[in-house]
Amino acid sequence: MRTKSVGKKKINIVTLGCSKNVYDSEVLMSQLKANGKEVVHEEKGDIVVINTCGFIDNAKEESINTILDFVEAKNRGEVEKVFVTGCLSERYKPDLIKEIPDVDQYFGTRDLPILLKHLGADYKHELVGERLITTPKHYAYLKISEGCDRPCSFCAIPLMRGGHVSTPIEKLVKEAQKLAKVGVKELILIAQDLTYYGLDIYKKRALGELLKELVKVEGIEWIRLHYAFPSGFPEDVLDIIREEPKVCNYIDIPLQHINSDLLKSMKRGTTHEKTNALLDKFREKVPDMAIRTTLIVGYPGETEERFQELKEWVREQKFDRLGCFTYSHEENTGAYVLEDDIPQEVKEARVEEIMELQSQISWDKNQKRIGEVYKCVFDRKEGNYFVGRTEYDSPDVDNTVLVSAENTYISIGDFANVKITSAEEFDLYGELV
């Protein structure tokens, strides 16, 4: 039996998928709060807005299951309305309306003003750059552009996010200043493609110029780069990483594969040789840089020989951080016309092989860190440990530094120097110095 809510409606924002969705949810929450709405993130609410991901099969499945769970809650009278927005909704809106009609309304990735109207709120232009941070208060994502112009054959992002649109430098600096004023110390720069930043509005790659302005923001101590595309990487950025203490010696550059034939089919605009030359340039210009990459296994045409080439390359390159995913055959992408010829169990076995190899590489690298002292930021307390990170580690995806909480107290969000005393595959243990 449905019960009527009395008083103010609480709006619960549920975020699925990547950091770009986290950013979008934070913007939505800021707009709602400015309209006098009571808004929470992933807590109980009368109205639910699900910000979905539609990137690959697993993400789509999680989004659909979440929608179904909240529709059931609505039918039980536990919530009044369910709205769905984000990438899945942008890509499959007609199908979703047909298959899950009990959702009150579906919205795409560029429908924020319309979504606000349905929530009884007006879009406030003066709030551009304002967000309610859902991450720990000392770090935040800074989305420097939206969409993507790359033609990667396996990727559906342009279908959901549209073409590349850079945010002007002055707007990003203002946003960074606002974040610093509320206690943010670490900015994590995100985009579908950092490398392309500026080409649309400045007619040149301007990531370096943006970094030079962001490092001037008082209160910001670390700036981290995520999702750089390998083709056309602006080399002046490497000089800034090396010379500017605030810019972390870290880069996330999804390389996807190394076999030249597969890279050509993927439309990545590079080859085995060019990729290695770029990595050599990274290590030459910034010897202390931590390189994170992402790989796809099981792409159409990935023979055992081509997979072994990938595996041998991972062994040679010894990446500091690495993630690996199975290829997902996505309709309306360039690769959809190819035969999805690698069985799912083979794809999954290949992921395991790559990650087992990377685990050993990470173990070896971490053993060399024993006895070293690193500046760490502390994100949370977990059990008997304070959990921190070095500049070589991004939150949620990379290594952590654990300091015993038994005889030590560290404020969350503080930086401290830690001497590493022992190490495992993905965790370092240490003590304050």
Side-chain angles (χ1 to χ4, degrees):
M1 183 84 178
R2 185 180 293 278
T3 56
K4 264 197 171 181
S5 292
V6 178
K8 207 172 185 182
K9 301 282 193 297
K10 189 186 286 186
I11 303 170
N12 175 25
I13 311 298
V14 175
T15 308
L16 304 170
C18 68
S19 53
K20 273 84 81 181
N21 271 14
V22 172
Y23 182 97
D24 292 345
S25 289
E26 291 174 349
V27 170
L28 170 60
M29 291 171 70
S30 176
Q31 289 278 346
L32 289 169
K33 190 180 179 187
N35 276 273
K37 302 292 183 183
E38 187 179 356
V39 60
V40 294
H41 189 249
E42 299 182 351
E43 296 176 21
K44 285 192 174 178
D46 308 297
I47 296 167
V48 179
V49 181
I50 307 164
N51 190 1
T52 58
C53 178
F55 185 46
I56 56 175
D57 287 341
N58 289 349
K60 288 188 278 191
E61 189 178 332
E62 182 189 19
S63 292
I64 289 166
N65 287 340
T66 303
I67 295 168
L68 292 171
D69 287 346
F70 278 106
V71 162
E72 285 178 20
K74 176 187 167 185
N75 292 337
R76 292 193 300 268
E78 294 167 12
V79 297
E80 291 187 22
K81 289 189 175 181
V82 177
F83 295 112
V84 174
T85 186
C87 291
L88 187 82
S89 188
E90 174 74 35
R91 193 173 173 199
Y92 297 108
K93 188 176 177 181
D95 297 328
L96 289 167
I97 290 169
K98 186 179 169 188
E99 297 297 327
I100 317 178
D102 285 350
V103 166
D104 291 273
Q105 192 83 22
Y106 289 94
F107 303 90
T109 54
R110 288 156 283 192
D111 291 342
L112 177 59
I114 309 167
L115 169 57
L116 287 167
K117 274 253 184 297
H118 277 78
L119 294 168
D122 293 318
Y123 180 74
K124 297 184 180 294
H125 290 275
E126 67 273 19
L127 284 179
V128 171
E130 297 276 358
R131 289 145 58 199
L132 283 183
I133 303 301
T134 61
T135 52
K137 65 179 183 180
H138 56 281
Y139 71 81
Y141 297 105
L142 184 66
K143 185 159 68 168
I144 69 170
S145 65
E146 182 57 276
C148 187
D149 285 352
R150 304 285 186 178
C152 303
S153 65
F154 54 82
C155 185
I157 284 173
L159 301 172
M160 300 179 282
R161 292 279 180 175
H164 180 98
V165 181
S166 300
T167 301
I169 289 174
E170 58 272 18
K171 281 190 178 178
L172 292 168
V173 169
K174 278 183 187 171
E175 189 171 344
Q177 289 167 340
K178 287 175 183 175
L179 291 168
K181 277 180 186 170
V182 297
V184 170
K185 300 174 185 176
E186 178 183 6
L187 293 177
I188 303 170
L189 269 53
I190 58 171
Q192 262 72 46
D193 178 6
L194 288 184
T195 309
Y196 210 83
Y197 177 78
L199 272 174
D200 53 330
I201 53 177
Y202 303 121
K203 309 308 172 195
K204 62 178 181 179
R205 298 182 193 276
L207 180 58
E209 289 176 32
L210 172 62
L211 288 173
K212 285 176 186 175
E213 294 304 313
L214 289 176
V215 297
K216 297 175 187 173
V217 177
E218 208 170 312
I220 299 299
E221 294 194 41
W222 279 357
I223 299 171
R224 187 179 300 283
L225 302 181
H226 267 232
Y227 317 124
F229 195 90
S231 178
F233 186 87
E235 289 187 19
D236 64 316
V237 169
L238 298 174
D239 298 322
I240 296 166
I241 294 173
R242 184 183 68 247
E243 293 160 13
E244 179 47 64
K246 283 190 179 185
V247 182
C248 294
N249 286 354
Y250 177 99
I251 196 155
D252 182 335
I253 185 159
L255 296 170
Q256 312 302 8
H257 214 280
I258 196 56
N259 176 266
S260 292
D261 290 332
L262 290 188
L263 288 170
K264 185 177 180 181
S265 177
M266 289 177 169
K267 297 185 179 171
R268 295 290 288 172
T270 190
T271 62
H272 188 134
E273 292 73 27
K274 285 180 183 174
T275 301
N276 280 353
L278 180 65
L279 292 170
D280 289 346
K281 180 75 73 176
F282 281 5
R283 289 167 175 144
E284 174 197 327
K285 289 228 175 185
V286 193
D288 194 31
M289 178 190 275
I291 302 173
R292 158 170 274 281
T293 196
T294 310
L295 304 176
I296 294 172
V297 294
Y299 181 86
E302 187 190 59
T303 60
E304 182 61 30
E305 185 182 3
R306 287 168 171 174
F307 173 66
Q308 289 303 326
E309 180 185 348
L310 176 68
K311 197 172 164 186
E312 186 54 38
W313 175 71
V314 169
R315 189 178 284 112
E316 288 168 5
Q317 286 293 337
K318 294 182 169 55
F319 290 101
D320 301 274
R321 316 283 180 255
L322 184 146
C324 188
F325 300 92
T326 57
Y327 167 74
S328 181
H329 206 47
E330 297 293 315
E331 56 269 308
N332 299 319
T333 60
Y336 197 64
V337 297
L338 303 174
E339 184 190 350
D340 187 13
D341 58 353
I342 313 296
Q344 187 61 28
E345 61 269 22
V346 174
K347 292 179 185 177
E348 288 169 9
R350 288 177 178 177
V351 166
E352 281 185 29
E353 280 189 56
I354 293 287
M355 292 315 297
E356 191 176 320
L357 175 57
Q358 181 60 28
S359 179
Q360 185 58 53
I361 291 167
S362 186
W363 166 272
D364 292 342
K365 282 178 174 281
N366 282 351
Q367 297 311 303
K368 292 172 185 172
R369 298 196 180 278
I370 296 171
E372 298 290 326
V373 175
Y374 297 98
K375 178 183 176 182
C376 299
V377 66
F378 284 86
D379 293 335
R380 63 190 183 276
K381 183 173 180 285
E382 214 169 78
N384 295 322
Y385 290 96
F386 289 104
V387 182
R389 291 176 288 114
T390 68
E391 70 172 295
Y392 311 111
D393 300 292
S394 205
D396 299 327
V397 293
D398 291 329
N399 290 2
T400 55
V401 177
L402 304 174
V403 173
S404 173
E406 285 182 17
N407 302 306
T408 309
Y409 180 76
I410 307 168
S411 293
I412 302 307
D414 275 3
F415 287 87
N417 288 327
V418 178
K419 183 176 183 180
I420 306 305
T421 54
S422 64
E424 296 175 355
E425 288 98 327
F426 302 111
D427 293 313
L428 302 169
Y429 294 82
E431 55 194 23
L432 297 190
V433 293

